[in-house]
Amino acid sequence: MEPIVRVDEVTKRYRLGKQNYVDALRGASLEVAPGEMVAIMGPSGSGKSTLMHIAGCLDAPDTGEVWLSGRRVDGLRGRDLARLRGREVGFIFQGFNLVPTMSALENVALAAEYAGASRRSASIVAHTLLESVGLGDRMRHLPSELSGGQQQRVAIARALVNDPSIVMGDEPTGDLDTATSDEIVTLLRRVNREKGTTFIIVTHNPEVAAACDRTVHMRDGVVDGQVLAVGVYPA
Amino acid sequence: MRVLRSVFRRKMRALLTIFGITIGVLALVVMGSIAEKLSLLVDGGSDYYADKVIVSGTSGIGGFSTEPITTSLIDEIERVDGVARAAGSVMMLLDPEPSAVSMGVVANIQASDFRELGYETFDSDVVDGRALEPDDRGVAVIGADLVSKLDAEVGGTVEVRGREFEVIGILGKTLTAPDMAVQIPLADAQEILVADLPAAVRDTVEKDTLITSIAVYLEEGEDPDEMATVIGQEVDDVSVMGPAGFETSVKEPLKIFNQIIYAIAVVSLLVGGLSVINTMTMSVAERTREIGVRKAIGATDGAIMRQFIAESAVMGVIGGLLGLALGALVGIAGNQAGAQSATELFLLTPRLALGSVTFAIVLGVASGLYPARHAARLNPVQALRYE
């Protein structure tokens, strides 16, 4: 099957000062099949977040090719990347990163509006999604009035609102306790199974990785090993 | 709504910034109201002086003189080629010792020989009672701004220079010179004029020949400025002023005065604009991470830019409207306080109101441009990492 994401020999150098730089990626490659749920693990500074950002059209590589849904995206800039991010990709972050002055409903609807939906239709889709993640009674609450797990559910609904083909999770359970973390992973798995959404999840948590179909290990800016999960979680 | 919530995320800071704009607009509205009042006054003067020549005594400045001249000059002027009519009038200060500081026209007494009838096009309407007629004595028509100072009503009396006058009419508001005038019969005015003269000369003059200025109406097609020169050459010992004379002696200085007034107000508003730039820059810095998130979920640079410009524009709108409201209140209160002494200083015109608020909004948008552009250009990955 044609992979939904293909990252081929990608390099990325971040300049910190005039002479000072970091090679975040030194020729990393990764293929993810549609509907697959992949965990990326590795020590800090191994390049896993950078790989995820580049695969998610948040950043452009210095060299190498990036393909998303059969389309080459590594040469795209600015507006085109923003459009792809809005429609093809969803993001979930460790710190939830909701807009603090907006209600749960508005936060979810915002992503739909950025993708071009009217305020009204964005609100309707957001409503449905928040109900599906179990927050039907919390829609008007501000992020500060929600628990960590609830905030992350809002963020998941936001990531799904434009029906993306792939969702990127940057340590999505990093700020949650074990029980809540389990709930979130179960929710992601459910979305993956029901909608066929592809997930790439950067994590330090072996239990999260174990819930995924496959774990990719990174070290020093390259992918250096892959493990296929064997039914730790009920399929 | 969303924009308002974002703006007021930091309430104190937003309020202080908005007050900065408010004070600027307040200054613009209050100062502008003074300038507008004076401009209208002088525009009225321009209309009045546009088609005629004013002759007065040599001590006059810009055609305004209380130095007596005699009616014999009227005949002399009417003999000049191109002159259609010359009309004599007396103009005196209502209060012989006016307060040292005054803006605009000082309260005055006016009387005319009615020779201007049929020639004068400048109209002041009597809104209550009737206008003066040639045979009246001991009666007065009161200008709009002097009504409350003199406590005048039709049928009542007013005291002018120690003499009682019966009020027979009240003039409508013209926003220019007649608002500050008490019109009385010429003979009454001449008596007052004579009484003002030094005792030594008082007995040597014939009081019914005394006037203070002559309005000269011209034949069709004569240029009033050229005629002013001609009259000046043919009639000795007088000061002659055409429309250009009014422009240079009154309008030009006023223009400079108004420019200074507006400049002060605009500077204070620009300071308000700087505080918007400061606030928006801080706001962008504080919300770097939020900007990263918005970009990650699909916001284009343009969407981010619009968001922040909308926020600074909202501060401009609120500040502008508050400033306009406060400025209007200051004007109303000021005019009410001044009504007793007939010093209406302020006039808030629609164009000034609209202009002030528009300026505040434009300033808000302009002040937001730089911070908004900075926000829009943030690299999403770096913005997301920002702590």
Side-chain angles (χ1 to χ4, degrees), chain A residues 85 97 101 106 113-114, chain B residues 2 5 289 293-295:
Chain A
R85 281 200 295 277
N97 282 342
T101 50
E106 287 173 317
E113 285 171 33
Y114 281 145
Chain B
R2 283 186 198 175
R5 267 185 275 154
R289 205 177 161 80
V293 173
R294 284 172 180 267
K295 287 195 152 190

Side-chain angles (χ1 to χ4, degrees), chain B residues 186-201:
Chain B
L186 184 63
D188 292 319
Q190 285 166 331
E191 278 179 11
I192 298 171
L193 188 60
V194 169
D196 275 358
L197 292 175
V201 287

Side-chain angles (χ1 to χ4, degrees), chain A residues 14 50 53 58-59 79 82 85-86 91 93 97 99-103 106 110-111 113-114 119 158, chain B residues 2 5-6 9 289-290 292-300 303-304 307 379-382 384-385:
Chain A
Y14 286 115
T50 303
H53 290 149
L58 202 56
D59 210 351
R79 203 184 167 79
R85 281 200 295 277
F91 279 94
F93 303 94
N97 282 342
V99 178
T101 50
M102 289 185 173
S103 71
E106 287 173 317
L110 181 65
E113 285 171 33
Y114 281 145
R119 200 166 262 209
R158 181 177 68 183
Chain B
R2 283 186 198 175
R5 267 185 275 154
S6 278
R9 185 185 292 194
R289 205 177 161 80
E290 177 191 319
V293 173
R294 284 172 180 267
K295 287 195 152 190
I297 64 171
T300 57
I304 300 289
Q307 179 200 339
N379 175 305
V381 172
Q382 282 165 11
L384 278 170
R385 286 203 186 113

Side-chain angles (χ1 to χ4, degrees), chain A residues 105 108-113 117-127 161:
Chain A
L105 188 69
V108 178
L110 181 65
E113 285 171 33
S118 71
R119 200 166 262 209
R120 189 179 156 72
S121 65
S123 181
I124 292 169
V125 183
H127 204 276
V161 74

Side-chain angles (χ1 to χ4, degrees), chain B residues 156-329:
Chain B
T157 57
V158 293
E159 198 186 287
V160 174
R161 296 285 195 106
R163 295 155 201 251
E164 292 257 304
F165 286 82
E166 184 196 344
V167 178
I168 57 164
I170 307 281
L171 292 176
K173 208 162 172 67
T174 60
L175 295 175
T176 182
D179 290 356
M180 293 292 275
V182 174
Q183 299 177 347
I184 58 174
L186 184 63
D188 292 319
Q190 285 166 331
E191 278 179 11
I192 298 171
L193 188 60
V194 169
D196 275 358
L197 292 175
V201 287
R202 206 176 291 160
D203 299 329
T204 68
V205 296
E206 284 181 65
K207 73 177 180 200
D208 55 1
T209 66
L210 288 187
I211 48 177
T212 60
S213 69
I214 300 169
V216 183
Y217 302 89
L218 305 172
E219 304 270 4
E220 187 88 21
E222 295 290 348
D223 179 73
D225 286 315
E226 281 172 21
M227 282 304 292
T229 315
V230 173
I231 295 169
Q233 284 162 352
E234 300 203 4
V235 182
D236 291 334
D237 295 330
V238 288
S239 157
V240 182
M241 186 189 76
F246 180 78
E247 299 282 320
T248 49
S249 66
V250 177
K251 218 168 177 183
E252 296 294 325
L254 178 86
K255 203 180 278 175
I256 293 168
F257 177 74
N258 279 357
Q259 279 166 356
I260 293 170
I261 275 191
Y262 277 116
I264 293 169
V266 165
V267 164
S268 64
L269 198 45
L270 286 179
V271 173
L274 287 179
S275 83
V276 174
I277 297 180
N278 187 35
T279 295
M280 290 309 296
T281 306
M282 279 167 72
S283 175
V284 167
E286 283 173 4
R287 288 151 72 189
T288 299
R289 205 177 161 80
E290 177 191 319
I291 293 161
V293 173
R294 284 172 180 267
K295 287 195 152 190
I297 64 171
T300 57
D301 290 4
I304 300 289
M305 183 118 180
R306 279 193 295 278
Q307 179 200 339
F308 281 96
I309 288 179
E311 289 183 17
S312 68
V314 157
M315 289 198 271
V317 172
I318 299 175
L321 290 176
L322 274 179
L324 176 61
L326 284 179
L329 283 179

Side-chain angles (χ1 to χ4, degrees), chain B residues 66 127 221:
Chain B
T66 54
V127 290

Side-chain angles (χ1 to χ4, degrees), chain B residues 33-154:
Chain B
S33 294
I34 297 174
E36 289 285 269
K37 174 87 183 170
L38 290 176
S39 289
L40 268 176
L41 189 71
V42 170
D43 285 348
S46 287
D47 287 349
Y48 178 76
Y49 293 110
D51 57 353
K52 61 174 75 77
V53 175
I54 302 294
V55 176
S56 57
T58 47
S59 71
I61 302 164
F64 308 114
S65 168
T66 54
E67 179 194 345
I69 52 179
T70 64
T71 47
S72 62
L73 284 169
I74 292 176
D75 299 334
E76 207 177 320
I77 289 166
E78 281 193 342
R79 281 197 292 275
V80 175
D81 272 349
V83 171
R85 185 72 145 183
S89 64
V90 171
M91 182 171 150
M92 289 172 292
L93 297 178
L94 179 62
D95 177 359
E97 283 160 5
S99 55
V101 183
S102 68
M103 301 280 268
V105 173
V106 183
N108 59 82
I109 300 166
Q110 281 177 358
S112 112
D113 60 7
F114 287 94
R115 288 175 58 83
E116 77 279 8
L117 281 181
Y119 293 89
E120 179 55 63
T121 51
F122 192 89
D123 234 9
S124 37
D125 293 329
V126 175
V127 290
D128 193 10
R130 65 170 177 88
L132 286 178
E133 281 162 16
D135 293 331
D136 283 330
R137 283 300 300 264
V139 296
V141 172
I142 313 294
D145 286 356
L146 292 176
V147 172
S148 69
K149 177 181 170 138
L150 297 176
D151 201 11
E153 57 181 338
V154 175

